Amino acid sequence: TGPQGWLEAAKAELAEMRPKAIAAANATGVFCAELPEACAFIWAAVKGDEDEWSERLARDHGITAIPGRHFHASTPHLRIPFGGRAPARQALLDELAKLAGALA
């Protein structure tokens, strides 16, 4: 019950962010993610050890990345959320771009 307009606005913001987040992750050359129909996170295969990448992303870039083993992934993956307020979403894109630049 109650006003529901905010739900449509939130869904629209996430729908706009989703392809940007996936593209930014793929641009690093370390992550490989497909564009999902819906969700508020990147599910990316990762080259290397998922725990090391999780720690590195948090320490060096302030990016939350949960190792895929916590979601029963059989190969190294990371789950990177991209929801939240607009400044946080932009910060994620900026940090992924910095990572891509550093690895290039």
Side-chain angles (χ1 to χ4, degrees), residues 1-99:
T1 63
Q4 301 291 308
W6 68 273
L7 284 171
E8 291 306 316
K11 289 189 327 188
E13 288 176 9
L14 291 175
E16 181 182 332
M17 178 62 176
R18 192 171 297 113
K20 294 176 185 178
I22 299 300
N26 288 335
T28 66
V30 174
F31 309 121
C32 180
E34 293 184 19
L35 183 64
E37 288 184 33
C39 72
F41 59 86
I42 301 164
W43 179 249
V46 61
K47 295 177 183 176
D49 183 90
E50 64 186 15
D51 290 307
E52 289 177 16
W53 273 108
S54 176
E55 291 174 20
R56 179 178 176 182
L57 290 172
R59 181 187 63 241
D60 298 346
H61 299 279
I63 295 174
T64 300
I66 304 164
R69 64 184 164 73
H70 297 293
F71 303 96
H72 307 286
S74 60
T75 59
H77 277 74
L78 292 174
R79 184 178 191 232
I80 304 169
F82 60 76
R85 297 179 187 256
R89 293 191 306 266
Q90 187 58 52
L92 173 66
L93 296 177
D94 294 344
E95 289 302 319
L96 287 171
K98 286 180 191 174
L99 178 61

